[in-house]
Amino acid sequence: MAYLSPASKVRSPLLTFVQLANLAQKALANLRAFRPPPTNYYKCPLTRRAAVLILLFADRRGDLRVVLTIRSSGLKSYAGQAALPGGKADTLQETPFTIARREAFEEIGLAMSDHKLPVGYEVEHLTELPTNLAMTELGVRPCVAYLKTPPPTPRNKDPDAARDLLPKLDAKEVAAVFTAPFFNFLRGEDLEEEHRRTVPGQWYKGSWQSWHETAWRMHQFFVPVTPFTVFFADHKPSPARVEMSQSTDPKGTDRSSLQPPLPSSFAASTADPLLQPRYRVFGMTARILVDCARVAYGEEPLFEHNSHFGDEEMIKRLIAIGRLSSEVKRDDMLTREVIMRAHGKAKI
């Protein structure tokens, strides 16, 4: 079965704090128990290996959020787009988790070892997901981790992962770091009533496209951002970022000194991805998040989607026709002709 089509127009129910906390515990348990099927990742040459980090943490309500980035405008590929922290392998000895953690350190400053994190914080490696195939013919292995928040202490009476870590991240390859509600990647609209009312735009748009000569669901999520869920890499207020709609969070904590304020014209129409009221998450990144949420919460999303996880079968077929060689050419792209040849010659 290539895709699933759940009942459409199902309104997403609002969830209580207790329900969110219970869902988070269930999700973490499911991810810890998940054992990925055999992978073709290790059959790819070094130049074709990459990994991304799906870093989860619990917010003050007990709901899981995931850390994402906006890539720097100066990068050669995917500039200005939302992405998970990640990148290519350096050596054949690196595991996907090693790659993902190294890249997260380089991109968002997440320490490689727990003792270098703020006191009490820990990173737990939960699982890996089936390998995805990028259009640039990279095998991308998603690695899922949980950032554990410590219990209250006299020095930190109200631990908050977003407050304690994200403003301190030293981003070099990204323009901003932001967070998104993890469970919402199974829903077609905002679960937060406040976001529905106050943030322009909608949460989800989707369409079917042809990819790998099969129907492929293109997901587009538009994540609402607030002064407490986005942190800019330069940490310097620009002329456009001189006002803040509010300087305290709902619990009364003044956060105006933690990061540059959002611009007063944040909801204005602009081509600058950092000045949008919602950050667009799409393509492979969106698909990986949907698949990870499916595993975590044990349910299917309330929108049409592909039923299979990752692209292990297509990677196998491409390897069989010699397509994923160690030599990477700048014009290497998966075309219809390449896919057709893989379908015609590879043995399943």
Side-chain angles (χ1 to χ4, degrees), residues 118-119 151-159 163-164:
V119 175
T153 65
R155 293 184 60 184
N156 190 352
K157 297 180 180 180
D158 184 24
R163 180 199 65 206
D164 295 343

Side-chain angles (χ1 to χ4, degrees), residues 9-182:
K9 307 299 183 183
V10 177
R11 185 170 180 81
S12 304
L14 295 177
L15 300 173
T16 67
F17 290 1
V18 173
Q19 286 174 316
L20 286 170
N22 289 340
L23 277 174
Q25 293 302 316
K26 171 187 173 184
L28 293 174
N30 286 343
L31 288 167
R32 290 187 186 103
F34 180 73
R35 297 295 179 266
T39 180
N40 292 294
Y41 176 85
Y42 295 101
K43 297 179 182 178
C44 296
L46 173 63
T47 52
R48 304 286 182 180
R49 296 185 187 183
V52 294
L53 184 66
I54 304 172
L55 182 63
L56 305 173
F57 69 93
D59 64 15
R60 294 183 174 196
R61 305 184 312 162
D63 191 16
L64 291 178
R65 298 186 70 87
V66 60
V67 177
L68 292 142
T69 71
I70 297 292
R71 291 172 59 83
S72 170
S73 60
L75 295 177
K76 294 181 180 179
S77 60
Y78 308 111
Q81 294 185 9
L84 292 161
K88 295 182 180 180
D90 281 348
T91 69
L92 289 173
Q93 287 68 45
E94 283 188 303
T95 66
F97 257 117
T98 302
I99 300 166
R101 287 296 300 271
R102 172 175 54 75
E103 289 290 330
F105 171 69
E106 294 174 2
E107 292 182 10
I108 62 174
L110 181 69
M112 294 284 288
S113 57
D114 290 345
H115 75 275
K116 293 185 178 181
L117 293 171
V119 175
Y121 281 94
E122 300 177 15
V123 175
E124 177 188 0
H125 291 177
L126 297 174
T127 191
E128 297 179 11
L129 301 180
T131 307
N132 285 254
L133 182 64
M135 287 192 68
T136 51
E137 298 188 51
L138 286 176
V140 181
R141 190 75 166 168
C143 301
V144 192
Y146 176 55
L147 176 63
K148 297 180 180 179
T149 302
T153 65
R155 293 184 60 184
N156 190 352
K157 297 180 180 180
D158 184 24
D160 182 335
R163 180 199 65 206
D164 295 343
L165 269 79
L166 296 187
K168 300 179 177 65
L169 297 180
D170 183 18
K172 298 176 181 178
E173 299 179 19
V174 301
V177 180
F178 68 104
T179 70
F182 185 46

Side-chain angles (χ1 to χ4, degrees), residues 81-275:
Q81 294 185 9
L84 292 161
K88 295 182 180 180
D90 281 348
T91 69
L92 289 173
Q93 287 68 45
E94 283 188 303
T95 66
F97 257 117
T98 302
I99 300 166
R101 287 296 300 271
R102 172 175 54 75
E103 289 290 330
F105 171 69
E106 294 174 2
E107 292 182 10
I108 62 174
L110 181 69
M112 294 284 288
S113 57
D114 290 345
H115 75 275
K116 293 185 178 181
L117 293 171
V119 175
Y121 281 94
E122 300 177 15
V123 175
E124 177 188 0
H125 291 177
L126 297 174
T127 191
E128 297 179 11
L129 301 180
T131 307
N132 285 254
L133 182 64
M135 287 192 68
T136 51
E137 298 188 51
L138 286 176
V140 181
R141 190 75 166 168
C143 301
V144 192
Y146 176 55
L147 176 63
K148 297 180 180 179
T149 302
T153 65
R155 293 184 60 184
N156 190 352
K157 297 180 180 180
D158 184 24
D160 182 335
R163 180 199 65 206
D164 295 343
L165 269 79
L166 296 187
K168 300 179 177 65
L169 297 180
D170 183 18
K172 298 176 181 178
E173 299 179 19
V174 301
V177 180
F178 68 104
T179 70
F182 185 46
F183 182 71
N184 221 148
F185 288 101
L186 294 176
R187 295 295 184 263
E189 60 184 71
D190 292 297
L191 289 178
E192 290 287 342
E193 186 66 37
E194 179 183 356
H195 293 157
R196 293 177 184 171
R197 296 194 319 266
T198 62
V199 184
Q202 64 188 87
W203 167 258
Y204 177 78
K205 293 181 182 178
S207 61
W208 286 102
Q209 299 186 10
S210 179
W211 173 238
H212 302 171
E213 286 301 299
T214 61
W216 195 85
R217 184 69 172 180
M218 170 65 78
H219 302 297
Q220 294 187 85
F221 297 97
F222 299 86
V223 179
V225 290
T226 73
F228 317 117
T229 63
V230 62
F231 302 87
F232 301 104
D234 56 16
H235 292 271
K236 298 175 183 178
S238 67
R241 298 174 185 162
V242 295
E243 295 182 8
M244 199 177 208
S245 59
Q246 59 183 70
S247 60
T248 59
D249 68 11
K251 298 192 71 171
T253 303
D254 183 357
R255 295 194 179 185
S256 58
S257 62
L258 297 180
Q259 65 145 53
L262 299 183
S264 56
S265 59
F266 198 68
S269 177
T270 172
D272 187 344
L274 295 181
L275 298 182

